[in-house]
Amino acid sequence: MTDAQETAADTALRTTGGGPPDDDVPANGLPIPLLEPREGIPPVVETEDALAEVIAAFAAGTGPVAVDAERASGYRYGQRAYLVQLRREGAGTALIDPVGCPDLSGLGEALSGTEWILHAATQDLPCLRDIGMLPTSLFDTELAGRLAGFPRVGLGAMVESVLGYALEKGHSAVDWSTRPLPEPWLRYAALDVELLVDLRDALEKELDRQGKLEWAHQEFDAIASAPPAPPRKDPWRRTSGMHKVRRRRQMAVVRELWTARDKVAQRRDVSPGKVLSDAAIVEAALAVPVNVAALTTLPGFGNRMGRRQLEQWQAAVDRARALPESELPQPGAQVAGPPPPRAWADKDPVAAARLAAARTAVSALAEELNLPQENLITPDTVRRVCWEPPTPATPETVAAALAGYGARPWQVGLVTPLLVEALSATE
């Protein structure tokens, strides 16, 4: 039994029908399957009247609120929420359909000032923000697991290792835009928030025991206060397989096909990959076909594709072929900041030595603290400080540089001495 499991041993949890409690562990030591929500599967909230009742119930509840959202990634365009699950002491569990109730700002306001518990919060917060829900404070059970040193931090793995219960995870990748939602999916969704409060309490105790609770609070505050991510510049450059595309004319084909595909996907509200695969876009870019007949011979543009579709894609290729040289896309501009580490030895051997020393020190400290290196300090931050170190590299200047790159106070305090030494040793 891990320290975290021992910490959680006092938590009274129940499965179907109110039992068994967690001290009734099977003799074989296997986790107890969690088969049904404690109060059964709640009805899906699809009307404004039903939503008003939920808002009142959750406003009157006590303690933190467990929150989760289901999207239809791979099926629908964008990352909107198709189901929102909540659970709070005194209110029970609620399943809300954002299609029928697209504005949940009233619920968000009712929960203002309440701690939200989410698992992998950064995944769900964008779609929750879009429907009017944004926490003022939160507890991320996945991030808490990382900081506490758990090797597996998926929700099912955390619930099993910390609380001794097995969650069914068979419906995580289904099409949540389906209506009506099947009962097994609703059961799965309700169970996803069933034990989040219990998991949060156990992890809080474990983090406190390890002396990491303040670190976690700083991380959670940073997530809650972070602004929405800006739109990506040139998102077509992220096409899978883009590294094969070298010539500017070929890049133009990728850009035109990606843009055409995105418009079709948005109009039809389907995942872009269901309209045309990234692999097909890259094949067309490499070949730059001169007509539909040539396009049809390429992988991804076979006989099952209709003539109208083929003409649509060939028109995009033709637009790229007709562009003057001055309008062709430039090779991907280097993102502001240092070059890839593999190039450091040639570009700046001294900087490469600084980075090697810093990486070694950070790795050793992360291992000592039993947490992932990227949670101790992001690799990008280390690279930036080592590529352009402050002058002189004093504890004060290095600390200021780390804070300027977004490092939290706990990270600055731990990492500054390591970087000062690494930067000084290679001067």
Side-chain angles (χ1 to χ4, degrees), residues 17 44 72 104 135 176 219 243 250 303 308 315 320 327 338 344 360 384 396 407:
V44 177
L104 299 187
W176 287 96
E219 294 296 310
H243 63 281
Q250 295 173 329
N303 295 330
R308 185 175 177 182
E327 295 182 22
W344 285 35
T360 298
R384 288 174 183 271
E396 292 75 21

Side-chain angles (χ1 to χ4, degrees), residues 215 353-369 371-373 375-378 381-382 385-386 389-390 393-396 398-399 402 410-427:
W215 304 357
R354 288 195 295 261
L355 181 62
R359 281 175 161 176
T360 298
V362 168
S363 176
L365 180 58
E367 184 174 352
E368 179 185 336
L369 296 172
L371 78 164
Q373 292 183 45
N375 290 113
L376 174 58
I377 192 71
T378 66
T381 297
V382 175
V385 173
C386 289
T394 65
E396 292 75 21
V398 171
L402 289 173
W410 74 272
Q411 296 173 315
V412 172
L414 288 170
V415 174
T416 293
L418 307 182
L419 294 188
V420 169
E421 183 173 353
L423 298 175
S424 301
T426 54
E427 288 181 350

Side-chain angles (χ1 to χ4, degrees), residues 31-325:
I32 301 171
L34 197 64
L35 304 176
E36 290 285 341
R38 301 176 209 190
E39 299 91 16
I41 304 173
V44 177
V45 175
E46 302 173 294
T47 67
E48 291 303 316
D49 288 345
L51 177 60
E53 293 180 9
V54 166
I55 292 174
F58 275 78
T62 58
V65 57
V67 182
D68 191 22
E70 304 295 346
R71 299 176 297 280
S73 303
Y75 298 94
R76 295 290 181 176
Y77 186 85
Q79 293 295 315
R80 66 170 294 184
Y82 282 95
L83 189 70
V84 175
Q85 309 100 281
L86 305 98
R87 182 173 181 82
R88 192 180 192 190
E89 184 69 30
T93 297
L95 303 178
I96 303 175
D97 178 6
V99 177
C101 301
D103 182 5
L104 299 187
S105 57
L107 179 59
E109 291 170 6
L111 296 173
S112 179
T114 299
E115 181 188 83
W116 293 21
I117 309 169
L118 301 104
H119 193 82
T122 54
Q123 294 182 20
D124 287 340
L125 287 179
C127 70
L128 291 170
R129 186 195 302 267
D130 289 343
I131 53 179
M133 296 185 65
L134 195 64
T136 52
S137 67
L138 63 84
F139 190 106
D140 186 332
T141 49
E142 184 200 48
L143 182 51
R146 292 182 185 278
L147 293 175
F150 284 87
R152 297 167 60 228
V153 293
L155 180 59
M158 293 294 293
V159 167
E160 182 174 325
S161 61
V162 176
L163 303 176
Y165 285 81
L167 289 176
E168 191 228 331
K169 300 298 291 181
H171 303 299
S172 59
V174 299
D175 181 3
W176 287 96
S177 68
T178 301
R179 293 296 183 274
L181 286 165
E183 183 177 293
W185 299 12
L186 296 174
R187 180 181 296 106
Y188 159 87
L191 289 174
D192 260 6
V193 292
E194 180 79 5
L195 297 180
L196 270 183
V197 175
D198 304 281
L199 181 60
R200 173 236 181 270
D201 291 345
L203 288 172
E204 181 180 60
K205 292 179 182 177
E206 177 64 12
L207 288 168
D208 188 42
R209 187 191 70 81
Q210 294 186 23
K212 299 175 180 177
L213 186 56
E214 176 55 28
W215 304 357
H217 286 158
Q218 291 181 25
E219 294 296 310
F220 302 156
D221 289 345
I223 295 173
S225 61
R232 284 196 178 113
K233 183 181 179 181
D234 293 342
W236 57 270
R237 292 185 186 272
R238 298 176 63 86
T239 302
S240 180
M242 189 70 191
H243 63 281
K244 302 176 185 176
V245 181
R246 306 283 184 173
R247 299 175 181 173
R248 293 174 62 201
R249 185 73 59 185
Q250 295 173 329
M251 292 179 188
V253 174
V254 173
R255 182 176 64 184
E256 293 296 331
L257 281 171
W258 188 98
T259 302
R261 178 185 70 172
D262 194 66
K263 290 178 179 176
V264 172
Q266 189 169 10
R267 185 178 71 248
R268 290 169 49 190
D269 190 19
V270 297
S271 170
K274 289 188 174 296
V275 175
L276 186 68
S277 71
D278 280 11
I281 289 177
V282 170
E283 290 289 344
L286 296 176
V288 193
V290 296
N291 53 39
V292 169
L295 180 68
T296 307
T297 65
L298 301 177
F301 299 93
N303 295 330
R304 292 197 297 176
M305 187 172 287
R307 178 76 185 184
R308 185 175 177 182
Q309 288 178 293
L310 289 168
E311 290 175 347
Q312 164 182 265
W313 304 131
Q314 184 60 43
V317 175
D318 290 343
R319 288 194 295 273
R321 293 176 60 240
L323 285 174
E325 287 286 328

Side-chain angles (χ1 to χ4, degrees), residues 333-350:
Q334 175 65 44
V335 177
R342 63 179 178 274
W344 285 35
D346 292 332
K347 291 179 177 292
D348 190 336
V350 176

